[in-house]
Amino acid sequence: MILLTDTQRDRLLANGRDRDQDHIPVVKFFNPFGAGVWLATELDEDGDIMFGLADIGYPELGSWSLNELRSIRLPFGMGIERDLLFTGDFPISVWAEAAREASSIRDAERLLYRSGRLPGGTRVDTESPRS
């Protein structure tokens, strides 16, 4: 599987040049066989070092190597995969807070989307306005 599309790479590089922002994750990587989820917001100019929220047992903000993710070999010849349906939707600070509260990125994802929570603690109005 291709871990980054050209569009995702361009967005991550642009975010990497503007580090003082609370970026929305561009891409989600995951281990299809167990622990390991990474939400990437930035990519260094070297094209290897990414920044975002990583969870390999406990969620924390930090950096990791894209090349190391690519080199991981899992059972049945598989590797780390990119979540094709991931949209980000929330700044990385919201993801980090929710993941710490839920103890994992996967549980945080379920909670954030189920609750309709938006940045700043607001909620999405899921009912249509009445006339």
Side-chain angles (χ1 to χ4, degrees):
M1 164 176 266
I2 296 172
L3 288 184
L4 283 180
T5 66
D6 289 341
T7 302
Q8 289 168 329
R9 179 178 298 282
D10 291 345
R11 181 77 254 150
L12 288 163
L13 287 167
N15 288 353
R17 290 187 290 272
D18 189 18
R19 294 183 182 269
D20 294 331
Q21 299 297 315
D22 191 11
H23 296 293
I24 292 173
V26 174
V27 63
K28 174 185 171 187
F29 304 112
F30 67 97
N31 175 347
F33 289 101
V37 178
W38 299 262
L39 302 180
T41 59
E42 300 169 22
L43 179 62
D44 283 353
E45 288 297 324
D46 68 4
D48 180 39
I49 303 302
M50 305 188 94
F51 178 82
L53 184 64
D55 182 357
I56 53 174
Y58 182 81
E60 62 182 306
L61 291 169
S63 299
W64 64 86
S65 166
L66 177 61
N67 290 329
E68 284 185 21
L69 282 184
R70 280 190 182 113
S71 71
I72 294 172
R73 292 294 160 241
L74 300 168
F76 308 110
M78 295 185 71
I80 299 300
E81 298 199 10
R82 173 173 41 97
D83 185 336
L84 300 176
L85 302 177
F86 180 74
T87 57
D89 296 326
F90 308 98
I92 197 67
S93 63
V94 173
W95 280 102
E97 180 185 340
R100 284 185 197 113
E101 289 173 8
S103 297
S104 77
I105 292 174
R106 285 185 171 126
D107 289 341
E109 188 169 24
R110 284 188 282 275
L111 292 173
L112 284 171
Y113 288 105
R114 188 178 307 140
S115 71
R117 182 173 163 189
L118 287 174
T122 60
R123 293 178 47 85
V124 176
D125 183 3
T126 56
E127 294 184 25
S128 56
R130 299 178 194 248
S131 346

